[in-house]
Amino acid sequence: MIPDLGKYAVSVLTAYGASIALLAGLVALSLWRGARVRRMLREVEQRQGRSDG
């Protein structure tokens, strides 16, 4: 299933690796920021006396 890339194999596989690493980094950053915002919102709501959920 893997195509023969010939002399371009290193370049293509490096590009794939970099793309996957960048996508994984973006997903991780999004999850981290989402958790941070959720925690900050919970703190603000607790200060205002709301605890609905």
Side-chain angles (χ1 to χ4, degrees):
M1 288 302 255
I2 298 176
D4 181 25
L5 301 174
K7 66 180 182 177
Y8 302 108
V10 174
S11 299
V12 171
L13 294 177
T14 301
Y16 277 135
S19 298
I20 291 170
L22 287 172
L23 287 172
L26 286 172
V27 169
L29 181 64
S30 295
L31 292 173
W32 176 74
R33 289 185 70 188
R36 187 173 137 229
V37 168
R38 195 176 308 115
R39 184 174 51 246
M40 290 172 62
L41 180 60
R42 191 178 311 124
E43 290 172 3
V44 169
E45 287 179 343
Q46 286 176 351
R47 269 189 262 137
Q48 292 180 351
R50 298 179 186 164
S51 60
D52 293 339

